[in-house]
Amino acid sequence: MRYGPFDTGGVGPVLARTRTAGIRAAADWNARMLAEAADGTRRGTRWGRGALALVPSALAIGALGAALAQGALAANFSVAGQPFTLTSNGVEGSGFGAIVNTPPVGRPDGTTTTNTAMARVGFASAGLAGLCGIVHQTIAGVPYSLLLTGGQKVTATPPTTFTTDIDASNLYIQATELRAYGPTTLQNAVLGQSADQVTVAGKPLTGALPGGFGLGSAGGEGGSSITLHGLDATAYDAEMAGALVLPDLKIRVVAGTATTC
């Protein structure tokens, strides 16, 4: 039976064939990308391919690059509904505070949940020894990683001593896990302070509840300090409410599931 231009009987098979062809084409494209990346041959700048790799809406990097001038970056780095990794060789911070809260987390269907307990950590000022941010994304069944790096190279095993080369003010990290690989030094800190009494740069931390757990300062505003030898955070949000002086900023997409920058 032949269908005219307004018949609907043949729409289903046509859509099925179109969908199958689209999936096959996407898979073929990704296979070519992986093969070309593996052979090490440079074939020029592929703006179209680079843009396509960043299209999926699940990868939502907030206001990254919103104010990038003379090496100073003021931005909010976040990924919709999924965690990402932030690492550094070391952190030295002052005006330090932390609380436990349950922020809204986006789901793939567009709804949000507040069932995940996290630590919100803030620094009135901080120096970092390099910065590495890793976001994992799957496109047409093939894994990719977005890497954001700045400053010195962040090593898999942090050095026993470090020198900071990144300056940040009003830095906040919302994380399900945050750990250091070496000794951690806290000064003028109050462990167990009511969360609503913890302030960073004169402001309470978002999501603080009276009676909730908090880590505040015993020396007044800005009196607490912390030194972390190595930093590894599984975060949902990293906010630079002030400025982040980030030398040698690089943002790139690589094939596979990267674990280091």
Side-chain angles (χ1 to χ4, degrees):
M1 180 179 296
R2 179 177 297 175
Y3 294 95
F6 296 100
D7 292 333
T8 59
V11 171
V14 171
L15 289 177
R17 288 195 298 272
T18 301
R19 180 176 57 190
T20 300
I23 294 173
R24 185 181 300 113
D28 290 344
W29 175 85
N30 281 285
R32 290 196 304 272
M33 283 286 289
L34 290 173
E36 292 178 4
D39 68 16
T41 302
R42 182 172 181 177
R43 297 177 173 83
T45 302
R46 294 175 173 81
W47 295 108
R49 292 184 179 182
L52 183 60
L54 296 175
V55 164
S57 59
L59 184 61
I61 298 180
L64 182 62
L68 179 59
Q70 299 179 350
L73 175 68
N76 184 71
F77 184 84
S78 61
V79 180
Q82 69 182 77
F84 55 94
T85 301
L86 287 177
T87 57
S88 177
N89 289 331
V91 180
E92 293 180 345
S94 62
F96 170 77
I99 63 168
V100 174
N101 63 359
T102 54
V105 176
R107 293 170 170 166
D109 61 2
T111 61
T112 60
T113 177
T114 56
N115 296 328
T116 303
M118 300 189 195
R120 185 164 183 83
V121 181
F123 305 86
S125 63
L128 295 86
L131 178 66
C132 164
I134 303 176
V135 178
H136 294 142
Q137 177 72 32
T138 299
I139 304 171
V142 178
Y144 288 87
S145 300
L146 182 145
L147 307 180
L148 181 150
T149 60
Q152 63 190 259
K153 180 177 176 57
V154 177
T155 58
T157 302
T160 54
T161 61
F162 64 88
T163 301
T164 64
D165 58 355
I166 297 174
D167 294 322
S169 61
N170 296 342
L171 171 64
Y172 301 90
I173 299 174
Q174 188 80 52
T176 53
E177 182 178 5
L178 191 153
R179 61 178 177 172
Y181 288 96
T184 298
T185 303
L186 274 171
Q187 293 183 325
N188 294 328
V190 178
L191 184 66
Q193 186 174 7
S194 180
D196 62 316
Q197 299 300 313
V198 177
T199 59
V200 173
K203 297 179 180 180
L205 292 172
T206 302
L209 297 175
F213 174 83
L215 176 60
S217 172
E221 181 60 35
S224 60
S225 65
I226 187 170
T227 300
L228 301 170
H229 285 78
L231 171 69
D232 185 356
T234 301
Y236 277 80
D237 180 82
E239 177 186 351
M240 283 68 75
L244 181 67
V245 181
L246 195 67
D248 301 323
L249 171 67
K250 296 179 183 177
I251 302 175
R252 55 197 174 99
V253 177
V254 300
T257 304
T259 56
T260 63
C261 291

